Amino acid sequence: MPAALQSPSFRGLRLAGDDDGAAASVFERVFGAPAMRAESSGGPRFLFDDQWIEMRAAHDAAVDLRCDDLDAQRTHLQRLGIEALDGSALGCTPCLRLDAMDTGACTVDLREHSLVNDRPSGDCIARLCGLELAVRAPERVALHWTQLFHAQPCRDADGVPSLKLGPFSLRFASAPDGRTGVTALDFVTTAFDALVRNASSQGFNVQGEARHAAFMALGIAFRLRPDT
């Protein structure tokens, strides 16, 4: 009997959009996230410890997950009747790509852990700890992702179906007006007050209290809480 697969870990998020200036006003000027150019798209990539958020010209978002055994993950997906696109067959970095038709939510890239590429940047004071995806059938999609990625199912404080990928939380909310995609990003920070001031100085309308704040940017809710 093959060993049970471990759930993958969250590594990065590709957001659909090509306004580099608007992205910089959020990720660089509010969060102080170091920016670089992503090889995959040529768009800006902003580093958050050992995670990243990348902007790309596309219609939907993509989540980058890292697993221990790519071959075992491929076999598991095939048993579920899913033939993921194999990047190595196209001469690219070994990667399994599942499109939104496979996941019911967004594109997912699966890669193996890399000690070289997964090193923390050490320059950012905030860490992405969760994201919210608007989908048409939250309960069904959450269950599907549990089967796809051996993730731990749970619910947030509002009863929204969620998954735990290590310390990272992925929530599935109902799509407003049928519009699907990333609707919220959650961050923990060691400089909560400073980030609130930064967001206000960039013209964002920050709503919140002593231990929670939120503002809208790039069509997404950015939620902040102190890292305690």
Side-chain angles (χ1 to χ4, degrees):
M1 179 180 294
L5 288 177
Q6 299 297 314
S7 62
S9 60
F10 174 83
R11 178 75 171 105
L13 171 66
R14 295 179 180 89
L15 287 174
D18 54 9
D19 190 337
D20 291 6
S25 71
V26 182
F27 299 120
E28 286 189 271
R29 296 170 194 151
V30 174
F31 291 94
M36 58 185 291
R37 285 287 156 182
E39 295 180 3
S40 59
S41 67
R45 174 178 287 189
F46 303 93
L47 304 181
F48 292 85
D49 194 20
D50 61 345
Q51 304 166 334
W52 46 262
I53 296 177
E54 175 185 314
M55 303 300 296
R56 64 172 188 162
H59 295 296
D60 58 1
V63 174
D64 191 280
L65 302 179
R66 297 300 167 93
C67 62
D68 294 330
D69 189 332
L70 198 61
D71 289 334
Q73 185 68 61
R74 180 190 293 108
T75 300
H76 171 70
L77 293 172
Q78 289 172 340
R79 288 183 181 134
L80 295 176
I82 296 175
E83 288 289 342
L85 177 65
D86 192 337
S88 59
L90 303 176
C92 305
T93 303
C95 167
L96 296 179
R97 171 162 293 181
L98 290 76
D99 64 24
M101 292 293 292
D102 297 319
T103 67
C106 66
T107 301
V108 173
D109 288 337
L110 274 165
R111 311 173 198 270
E112 285 191 0
H113 290 289
S114 168
L115 294 179
V116 174
N117 295 326
D118 293 351
R119 290 175 180 169
S121 68
D123 295 324
C124 191
I125 56 177
R127 180 177 179 82
L128 184 61
C129 63
L131 69 85
E132 184 174 282
L133 281 166
V135 297
R136 291 185 174 87
E139 298 286 349
R140 186 174 66 201
V141 173
L143 176 60
H144 184 51
W145 279 55
T146 298
Q147 296 169 333
L148 290 176
F149 306 120
H150 307 273
Q152 176 185 350
C154 57
R155 294 185 183 275
D156 69 6
D158 296 321
V160 175
S162 308
L163 301 179
K164 295 294 289 184
L165 298 171
F168 190 82
S169 175
L170 182 63
R171 299 188 306 281
F172 299 96
S174 296
D177 302 324
R179 291 175 293 177
T180 60
V182 178
T183 54
L185 299 175
D186 295 331
F187 294 85
V188 292
T189 174
T190 56
F192 178 78
D193 292 336
L195 261 61
V196 169
R197 289 194 299 270
N198 290 349
S200 296
S201 71
Q202 291 300 310
F204 298 116
N205 182 20
V206 182
Q207 304 292 323
E209 51 193 32
R211 298 187 58 78
H212 178 270
F215 63 93
M216 292 294 299
L218 305 174
I220 297 169
F222 285 75
R223 300 167 179 165
L224 312 174
R225 62 178 174 85
D227 188 5
T228 56

